[in-house]
Amino acid sequence: MKPTSFVVLTALLALGACKKSAPDKAATSEQGPTTNAAKEKARWTPDVVKAAVAVRDHEGVDTATALAAILASPHRVPGDKDRDGARHPIETLTFFGLQANQTVVELGAGGGWYTEILAPFLANHGALIVVGPDSKEPAGDMSTVGGHGLDLFLAKSPELFGKVTRVGITSPDKLKFGPDGSVDLVLAIREMHNWQRRGELAKYLAAIHAVLKPGGTFGLVAHRAVAGTKGEDTAEKGYLAEQWVIEHVTAAGFELVEKSEINANPKDTKDYPKGVWTLPPNYAEGDKGHAKYAAIGESDRMTLKFKKK
């Protein structure tokens, strides 16, 4: 789902040399992705590359078996495996009907948690389109920094990510994830609340509908708000009510096929001042209540499978 190459960004040397000048926010914010990319590049030894190629070249096994091998592979970013128990990637992806010969769009890839699973699975017989912020404009914007980080993530391994198509979002008015009617599966995992917060929900749903083949699948995982609430009131805290989501998605030309409680968590009380980000892995309140929130775990999430009418 997203391409480029490893680049070592040059901080603004003039500002660095001038002690009285305030640090440039854009340059400072870019250092995070660049530093992480350098660490990842150093971690990719020949043994890691060999292991990555091995899981990429899965043949003659079912989806769940192939995904299990990918999850166990050392190519994954250190720490990512720690979230497998909360995110249930095998169960989630098989529920959505993932197959190795599909064309798949991943929306909001972020740091690449699902990308590092999807890319090797689809590399030989399918196609992955990764959608995220554009890495070039507007320069210095935090979304641009996120896009740059994603580009660096994909550039670290031509073996796994060389065939990934990267789509950069520059404007909600220009959403286009691929040719109309060309995609088997669109995945939006923990993303929809952001569309609602930015007032872009209808535009995203229209673009998803356009890119899917007739009967294609829209797989959705979202933080679940208290029943009966409205996204207009809850999205700022990261949550959306399940029925509210279903009503908006079906109104956009989709049919609900099936629900799953794979990612449910009844311990989530959904009433935190800092929203869903209070819970792991973000711990928005820092050390305050850390043990309490760790015991709750990650959010309660709906897992919904829709098809394009």
Side-chain angles (χ1 to χ4, degrees):
M1 297 194 182
K2 299 179 182 176
T4 330
S5 71
F6 270 100
V7 181
V8 179
L9 290 181
T10 313
L12 295 174
L13 296 179
L15 287 176
C18 183
K19 294 181 180 180
K20 293 184 180 180
S21 298
D24 182 273
K25 287 186 177 181
T28 302
S29 61
E30 289 281 11
Q31 291 171 5
T34 305
T35 300
N36 292 339
K39 290 179 180 177
E40 269 295 281
K41 184 176 182 180
R43 190 180 68 83
W44 274 71
T45 64
D47 285 342
V48 172
V49 173
K50 182 178 179 180
V53 170
V55 295
R56 179 199 67 189
D57 294 340
H58 61 90
E59 298 291 346
V61 296
D62 61 25
T63 298
T65 301
L67 290 175
I70 291 170
L71 293 185
S73 170
H75 81 275
R76 299 182 69 196
V77 173
D80 279 5
K81 294 180 183 180
D82 298 342
R83 300 187 69 189
D84 290 352
R87 303 196 78 173
H88 313 104
I90 296 176
E91 297 87 344
T92 300
L93 293 173
T94 54
F95 173 73
F96 291 144
L98 179 70
Q99 298 293 326
N101 62 350
Q102 290 178 326
T103 297
V104 177
V105 169
E106 181 190 8
L107 297 176
W113 196 93
Y114 262 103
T115 311
E116 67 182 2
I117 299 170
L118 292 166
F121 181 79
L122 296 166
N124 288 340
H125 303 291
L128 180 61
I129 301 166
V130 175
V131 180
D134 188 84
S135 61
K136 301 177 181 64
E137 55 183 0
D141 188 273
M142 281 308 297
S143 64
T144 305
V145 175
H148 179 63
L150 181 58
D151 287 350
L152 293 174
F153 177 90
L154 294 170
K156 70 184 175 184
S157 173
E159 297 85 2
L160 289 192
F161 306 119
K163 295 181 180 179
V164 170
T165 298
R166 169 78 158 91
V167 173
I169 301 299
T170 58
S171 166
D173 296 320
K174 300 178 181 179
L175 290 178
K176 186 78 171 176
F177 308 139
D180 289 355
S182 64
V183 167
D184 300 288
L185 172 63
V186 174
L187 297 171
I189 299 179
R190 304 183 181 211
E191 269 296 298
M192 185 174 280
H193 62 282
N194 289 320
W195 309 341
Q196 175 60 28
R197 292 171 76 195
R198 298 191 300 258
E200 300 167 359
L201 178 59
K203 293 176 180 179
Y204 268 88
L205 291 176
I208 294 166
H209 192 274
V211 80
L212 280 170
K213 297 175 181 178
T217 298
F218 174 31
L220 173 66
V221 178
H223 307 294
R224 182 162 44 196
V226 174
T229 56
K230 296 182 178 181
E232 293 85 349
D233 301 322
T234 63
E236 285 300 323
K237 294 292 182 70
Y239 290 98
L240 299 170
E242 185 170 307
Q243 188 57 38
W244 184 92
V245 168
I246 292 170
E247 289 173 0
H248 280 73
V249 177
T250 54
F254 296 88
E255 176 184 336
L256 177 64
V257 176
E258 193 175 356
K259 303 178 184 181
S260 174
E261 291 299 298
I262 297 166
N263 295 300
N265 180 4
K267 295 180 182 179
D268 181 4
T269 57
K270 313 171 187 186
D271 57 356
Y272 321 107
K274 295 187 178 180
V276 72
W277 303 280
T278 305
L279 298 175
N282 294 301
Y283 292 107
E285 294 192 354
D287 292 335
K288 181 182 177 182
H290 191 280
K292 170 187 173 181
Y293 300 129
I296 293 173
E298 295 198 23
S299 68
D300 176 42
R301 300 180 302 284
M302 67 188 92
T303 304
L304 306 176
K305 182 178 181 180
F306 297 92
K307 73 174 181 180
K308 176 180 175 176
K309 290 182 181 179

